[in-house]
Amino acid sequence: MSATPRYRFAPSPTGYFHVGGARTALYNWLLALKNNGTFVLRIEDTDESRNEPQWTQGIIDALAWIGIDSNDPHFEGPYFQSTYAAEHVAAAHRLFEEGKAYYCDQTTEQIQERAKAAGLNGYDGFSRDRKLGPGPGHVLRFRVPEGKTIVNDTVRGSVEFENSTIEDFVLLRGNGTPVFLIANVVDDITMNITHVVRAEEHLPNTPKQQMLWEALGHTPPVWAHVPVLVNEQRKKLSKRRDKVAVEQYREEGILPEAMVNYLMTLGWAPSGDTEIVPLQKIQDEFRLEDVNHSPAFFDIKKLLSFNGEYIRLMSHDAFIAAANEVLTSSAATWSADRYKPEVFAAMAPLVQTRVAVMSEVVAMVDFLFLAEPPIDDAAFAKAFGSDFAVPTLSEISKAFETVEWNAESIKVAVETIGNQHDVKLGKLQGPLRVAITGRTVGPPLFEPIELLGRVESQRRIRAALVRAAG
RNA sequence: GGCCCCAUCGUCUAGUGGCCUAGGACACUACCCUCUCAAGGUAGCGGCACGGGUUCGAAUCCCGUUGGGGCUGCCA
């Protein structure tokens, strides 16, 4: 038994990184850090039909994003399962030589037919004693022993399987290549894995793998099966129907800290009355024994709420830096030369409390950088629907010619006009806001007006007035 | 169908036989604050699936029912 625990994360490279995988990886990673163990990354790339080398880099990048750093001393790998194919086959052959596995020539159709006729399901062990040798189309099957298999699971306690309900499963395909069950076990054995922490969907595989560990002469690892993540229909999160790609959340401006914190509150919770907590506290407190047993709904709304909170927690400078990144990216709707970082910096505090994801800052400040911000028709109709709109805006326009150009004076000037017309500032600012920003809602108005300057503000107000007249 | 897992507010959870007239968070509602919208503050709504046991005492232990979910490939 090795002195330090060795955990592993073994994704198959399928093109994107699943949030469920991210959570499983996080569990393993945190446990490795907490127990001064090792996190082994193994890419299970044995399904040649859907195996693309660039996916591997995607996985490493996604792991890095959630804080699992491949340069950290606790990180080991990546290993590639495909490079160990010879070992997998050798292990299977050893099992055959020891009589623990046997060859079978039955096709799927034949197996199904016999099962149907017998009123049973699955493979019935037809070839167990036929003493077949290897050959084209012959699969190697594991001879499931009699008795029962008890899986000791850190999350679920002990789970008992009657071996008679487990069919003699395939180890080697008809073409001689190994399947997942044996490849996974052989790799775990050679990599000295001590703890297998994975999603609950693997629980039915576990008795089979445990039998393989034992048949191969090794003590099985500590198992832990964590509940799956589900959608609002309570079905396992699926690539087809659900938004599961970590990369997509990253692009939309979810902060990694928020994602990590949120993921860790699914099936588990830190002590105390607050869920937004430092990663260190999570690392200190997290225990597999405390993980819930039932599936958890991946609630994007709550994720967004966490993210908004993390955005507000950022320092002034950090927020500006993060915002600058999206404002100078392809997400920007203006031509790059019109962007003025110092203008945004002045606005930053006003937008920081108003966005839940970083991508939202674009629409929050676009009117400052767009030469001609589009005016939403519905917004215009709403703002100019009242009879005070045009007269007050005209007066505002006049007042803007002479008012001292700073946010506070501008506000006072507008407020004064409101008083004369007996219209509260809250209503009065509507038409002005639409004229300036094109929208009915947005950050506080007078600061950006100051930033925009007298001339441009006047121009926009006049344009709106013309539109209202026409 | 078979095997396995699960069951506290709509959702995520705290709770490990008395501290529970069940706590927090998201969402929702109302009010306060307020130049719109947010943020913030206050209050509110809302739950131990059901039925039997065990016990002086059960959300917590046992059994059953019901309801969910996972697996059931020569995918991983």
Side-chain angles (χ1 to χ4, degrees):
Chain A
M1 200 83 203
S2 50
T4 62
R6 289 173 62 80
Y7 301 88
R8 48 74 144 179
F9 178 59
S12 53
T14 53
Y16 65 100
F17 198 58
H18 194 285
V19 289
R23 187 185 61 150
T24 304
L26 235 26
Y27 279 3
N28 280 287
W29 178 245
L30 259 19
L31 256 8
L33 293 183
K34 177 182 173 133
N35 302 317
N36 196 26
T38 302
F39 172 99
V40 176
L41 173 64
R42 182 175 68 236
I43 308 292
E44 306 222 320
D45 56 350
T46 51
D47 183 359
E48 292 146 33
S49 60
R50 46 172 197 192
N51 169 24
E52 299 282 345
Q54 70 265 30
W55 300 145
T56 299
Q57 191 55 45
I59 290 171
I60 290 173
D61 291 346
L63 287 174
W65 185 69
I66 57 173
I68 301 178
D69 176 9
S70 57
N71 296 314
D72 189 288
H74 294 91
F75 188 106
E76 191 178 302
Y79 295 107
F80 293 88
Q81 185 157 75
S82 57
T83 55
Y84 300 96
E87 282 81 351
H88 308 152
V89 173
H93 285 164
R94 204 178 328 132
L95 256 17
F96 170 68
E97 280 150 23
E98 293 170 0
K100 293 170 180 168
Y102 60 89
Y103 283 96
C104 174
D105 61 0
Q106 299 293 289
T107 64
T108 307
E109 294 72 39
Q110 290 172 305
I111 291 166
Q112 278 173 352
E113 267 176 46
R114 242 197 342 275
K116 202 169 182 181
L120 301 166
N121 35 20
Y123 179 67
D124 60 359
F126 180 77
S127 300
R128 275 196 158 208
D129 302 309
R130 291 171 62 215
K131 300 192 167 28
L132 259 32
H138 290 197
V139 300
L140 184 68
R141 289 180 179 276
F142 183 72
R143 190 187 300 272
V144 173
E146 309 233 305
K148 53 183 62 170
T149 300
I150 296 171
V151 172
N152 283 307
D153 188 292
T154 311
V155 172
R156 284 151 212 287
S158 81
V159 183
E160 201 173 299
F161 295 84
E162 196 63 53
N163 288 6
S164 60
T165 66
I166 300 172
E167 64 181 33
D168 288 347
F169 51 92
V170 172
L171 261 22
L172 257 28
R173 301 187 181 95
N175 64 7
T177 59
V179 303
F180 159 74
L181 286 168
I182 182 90
N184 191 265
V185 167
V186 169
D187 285 347
D188 282 345
I189 289 172
T190 48
M191 294 174 190
N192 291 311
I193 300 304
T194 60
H195 297 254
V196 172
V197 180
R198 67 214 323 188
E200 188 190 354
E201 63 207 68
H202 287 290
L203 190 51
N205 288 325
T206 310
K208 299 178 186 175
Q209 295 194 314
Q210 183 159 303
M211 286 188 266
L212 250 20
W213 274 79
E214 285 160 356
L216 256 13
H218 292 270
T219 307
V222 174
W223 307 103
H225 290 89
V226 305
V228 294
L229 261 28
V230 297
N231 61 21
E232 47 277 87
Q233 277 80 235
R234 304 245 115 218
K235 301 279 189 207
K236 191 172 71 161
L237 245 35
S238 84
K239 179 186 186 178
R240 288 196 60 183
R241 308 190 8 260
D242 309 305
K243 189 170 148 185
V244 297
V246 168
E247 292 87 346
Q248 193 181 348
Y249 288 102
R250 177 177 59 194
E251 278 165 27
E252 289 175 6
I254 293 293
L255 268 19
E257 297 80 9
M259 177 62 91
V260 167
N261 196 155
Y262 176 64
L263 247 16
M264 290 307 292
T265 65
L266 255 25
W268 182 82
S271 66
D273 277 351
T274 328
E275 288 180 311
I276 308 277
V277 294
L279 186 60
Q280 187 60 50
K281 177 178 165 76
I282 292 176
Q283 189 191 122
D284 291 343
E285 295 184 351
F286 182 70
R287 292 173 359 122
L288 247 12
E289 290 84 348
D290 297 331
V291 172
N292 264 186
H293 297 183
S294 37
F297 171 46
F298 185 78
D299 187 353
I300 295 174
K301 271 192 177 172
K302 190 161 179 177
L303 203 214
L304 252 24
S305 163
F306 271 48
N307 203 58
E309 192 140 342
Y310 269 94
I311 286 176
R312 276 170 255 129
L313 248 26
M314 292 171 98
S315 71
H316 181 71
D317 291 343
F319 177 71
I320 289 174
N324 264 323
E325 214 166 290
V326 333
L327 294 173
T328 54
S329 75
S330 60
T333 51
W334 48 84
S335 60
D337 58 304
R338 293 191 56 89
Y339 179 62
K340 298 187 187 66
E342 66 283 3
V343 169
F344 175 74
M347 277 292 286
L350 301 178
V351 334
Q352 190 167 1
T353 58
R354 267 162 260 259
V355 294
V357 286
M358 293 307 294
S359 58
E360 287 175 357
V361 305
V362 172
M364 201 67 64
V365 298
D366 61 353
F367 67 94
L368 286 165
F369 308 117
L370 248 16
E372 212 60 66
I375 294 182
D376 181 70
D377 289 338
F380 190 87
K382 187 182 175 192
F384 286 83
S386 57
D387 44 5
F388 66 78
V390 171
T392 54
L393 194 56
S394 302
E395 286 183 42
I396 289 170
S397 177
K398 192 161 298 166
F400 275 17
E401 288 171 14
T402 55
V403 68
E404 191 185 340
W405 204 253
N406 63 68
E408 186 52 33
S409 303
I410 295 168
K411 180 185 175 187
V412 170
V414 172
E415 221 161 5
T416 305
I417 291 165
N419 290 338
Q420 288 159 5
H421 288 261
D422 201 26
V423 180
K424 285 261 207 296
L425 188 54
K427 280 183 165 298
L428 187 68
Q429 58 93 45
L432 177 60
R433 176 181 294 280
V434 170
I436 298 291
T437 74
R439 296 191 177 86
T440 60
V441 301
L445 237 202
F446 304 107
E447 291 80 355
I449 285 178
E450 178 190 332
L451 258 16
L452 214 46
R454 196 189 300 269
V455 173
E456 177 61 11
S457 299
Q458 286 281 55
R459 193 189 68 80
R460 290 187 187 185
I461 292 169
R462 277 197 296 273
L465 249 14
V466 167
R467 174 168 171 172

